[in-house]
Every structure is written in structure tokens, then in C-alpha cells.
Amino acid sequence: MKNSFFGAGGPRILTFALMSLAMTVISAPTALAQAKISPDRTLIKLGPIPAAAQFDSTGHLDVDAATRAYLDTVPADKRAASNKYFEGGYWIMLWSALYTVVIALLLLFTGVSKRMRDLAVRLTRYKWIQAWIYFAEFILTSTILSLPWNIYVGFYREHVYNQSHQPFAGWLREQMIGPLVILVFGAIAFATVYTVIRRLLDTWHIWGSVLVVTFQMIAIMIAPVYIAPLFNTYTPLSDPEVTIPVLKMAHANGIKVDKLYEVNASKQTTQISANVSGLFDTTRINVNDNLLHQASIEEIEDGLGHEMGHYVLNHIMKMLCQFALLILIGFCLLRVWLQGMQERWGDKWGTTGAADPAMFPAVVLAYTVMMLFLTPVLNNITRTMECEADMYGLNAAREPDGRAQVALKLGQYRKLEPGPIEEFLFYDHPSGYARIHAAMQWKSENSHTTTGY
Ligand SMILES: [Zn+2]
């Protein structure tokens, strides 16, 4: 699970395990061995502050005019391009769900799922291993079937919109790492959950959800050590221009870290980002190299002040608790759904019920539909926390103009001014407009104390 100032641009796909693994980007102890001297880099300077965003001679700042002045610094063609990219993402969410639904139905109605289970049964009499084998077959099949769509969304489209410069071979290699990771860690979760369903037929929806939440916590904890380094290199940031002010701010906020990590995200994307991830001892603050190359210290401090907000306000734990409740509700619905599906289609699919791994595509189907309808709910849970972290970051870094300018840079991949319904439904972070407006509001009321309390 990722708590970020910036948020991911791509679509959300597949299972909870996949979600937590794919979305958890954390630094790793192994990266320490690869520690390098900080690259030769000088930070850029904060961009000009528009006249309307400066205090007038009477010490007044018009918040709306200041916000508008900042937004107007983005050329119309750039606005149009990022709007198009972001709005396309709404449709991609829908098409991704439909694509997954079609694959799930195909596996069920063509009897492929049943045959995969039969093969597993022929290979071993141990049910736990049968579930494991079925899962491996499922991951292999679904990875191949979803590849064309993933190439379009994850590679082609990102390049068309200039969000990535990664060569295809490198991209494809990373697409293979995900399923392999899932094969190892996901299979353990899968086989264990199926054991619970088989043994506790009356209460599996409760114990199943307890297990999924537990696995999710474990995934968040181990990802920094075992998973994130498979995709990127994490090196302790040794750029004093950044580390000194940021660590001072961290200590002032009661965060006992002595280093920050730089991740070479430019390998995959041109988007700026930073995040806090992990749990307990593995919690880290990471800065991506795009941010270090494209932002001033004021913007970096603001972004990291926001990340510290996530940390101090304990957002990862809170989000896990809220998700736990949703997972429990989801499992209750799933139980009813699987019962209904078995009665209606069981004979045709060759399945025996919830405890039969061959029914897994029906689980994926239910999950996909639920996630689609839950999107606004999940977005609102996340956006609320993002707003809290935003306010925390403003108070911690006291750089409202840094906030405004970094919000504009995020406009590279996120529509800056959505309508209210659009923001409510689709935004997991406050929009650029909302962020700049809040920053200017803060500036108008608090900036006189910027030089000291
Ligand atoms: Zn955030």
C-alpha cells in the first residue's frame, strides 16, 4: 500500500495480494550495499511567484486570484494533454475491469479452469499443493491473456503521453517479475486461504478475511526487503542540500530517521514522486530521482513534509484497518455470490463450490466488480488522508509556494481542475486546483510568521 504525495497514475488490477505487493514501493537493506556517492546534481531554484500570488502593499493576498495566477502559468496545450491522459484513465479503469471479467468468464465457461484443477489433482493428492499448482497455472494463463491489454495501458499509452521512456525489453522483463513474485508469496496466501475455506465451510468468510488482512500486513512489511529491489535501486540519499533540511524537519516532527532513500524511478517513468511505505521497522521515506531533478528544495521539503504527515498520522495502519472492514464485508458478499454461482453454473463449470480452486475465476470476477463500484469509496478514504497529510506538510515545511509549484508539476499526469463530481469519484489525491487553493489560503493567513514563531 502506498501513501504518497503524488499517487500512482496507472490502473488498479487484480487481487489484494497483487495490489499490496505492486503498490508497495519501499527501500531495502540490500540497497545499502549498493550505496553510491550522491550523483552530480544541483537542485533547481523555485520558479517565479506570480504577481497575484504575492502580498500587496497592504499585506493582503487574494486567494482566488493567486490560485488562478498559478494555474494560468501552465500552457493550454500542456493542460489539454494531461487532461486527456488523466480522463483516459477513467475509461481504462472501466475497460480493465471488463477485460478481467471477460478473462474470468472465459476460464470458467471454456472449462479451462476445471482442467487446470484436474491437472493439479492428477499431479498430487495433497490438497494444499493442488491449490498451489492451480494458482501457478492461473497466474501463467491470466498473465498471458492480459498481456495485450497491459502492453497497451502500461507501455504504449505511457509512451504516447510521454510519461515513460523505458525500452520495451526492460518493461517486459519487469512484467515477468510481478507474476513470479506472486507465484512465490501469493501462492502461500492462496493455498492457505483455500485450506481455511475447505476446513471451515461455515465461517470461512470471517477467517478468510482475517487471513487476507494478515497477509496484506506481511506483504507490506517484507516488500522493502524482498520485492522493491527487484524493480529499482534504493540508495541512501547523500545530497546534503536535501538531507540536512529534510532530516531537520523530520526530527522536528518526532520522526527518528537518519537517512532518506533515493529510488531510480526514472528508469520506468518521467513522473515525480515520493512516498512513505512499509510498516513498523521497515517504514521508510523515499524520494524518486525525477523529483530531485525537477524540483527545488522548497518543493522537495513540502513534498516530504506531506510524507511525514502520513507517517506521524499513522496512515498506513489506519488504511489497513479501514480496508480490513471492507475486506470482511467483501468476503461475506463473496460467500453468498459463490453459493449462487455454484447453484446456477456449477455443473457447467465442473466446480464443486467455494472450496474448489477451479472457482477462483469467479472470485476474481466478484472482486473486480466490487472494486469497480468501491472505487469512489476507496478514493475518498485515500483522499481524506491525503488532505490531512497536505495540511500537515504545509505546517511542517511552511512552503506554500513550493506546494503550489509542485502541484503544477503533478499536473503533468493529473488533470489540474476537475469538476466536483469528477474529483469525488476519481481522485485519490486532492486536485491541483484544491492543493494550490489550500496553499494560498494558508499563505494568506500564516505566511507572516514564516520567519519564526
Ligand atoms: Zn500522500
Side-chain angles (χ1 to χ4, degrees), residues 155 159 164-174 266-268:
F155 182 82
H159 281 69
S164 172
H165 298 138
Q166 191 175 23
F168 184 70
W171 180 86
L172 194 66
R173 202 175 319 120
E174 282 175 9
S266 57
K267 190 177 137 196
Q268 292 104 345

Side-chain angles (χ1 to χ4, degrees), residues 271-289:
Q271 300 176 350
I272 56 171
S273 186
N275 67 66
V276 173
S277 40
L279 212 55
F280 308 122
D281 280 358
T282 60
T283 305
R284 298 280 196 284
I285 300 176
N286 308 302
V287 192
N288 93 358
D289 54 350

Side-chain angles (χ1 to χ4, degrees), residues 3-6 306-307 310 386 389 429 435:
N3 261 322
S4 137
F5 181 60
F6 310 91
H306 168 105
E307 299 308 326
H310 282 312
E386 294 301 334
H429 283 67
R435 278 181 149 159

Side-chain angles (χ1 to χ4, degrees), residues 249 253 297-306 308 390-400 403 442 450 453:
M249 183 165 64
N253 285 279
I297 188 64
E298 290 86 352
E299 293 161 278
I300 294 172
E301 278 188 58
D302 178 76
L304 293 180
H306 168 105
M308 289 174 197
D390 265 2
M391 296 327 290
Y392 193 98
L394 271 174
N395 290 321
R398 309 183 71 78
E399 295 290 357
R403 162 67 51 84
W442 188 98
T450 301
Y453 292 92

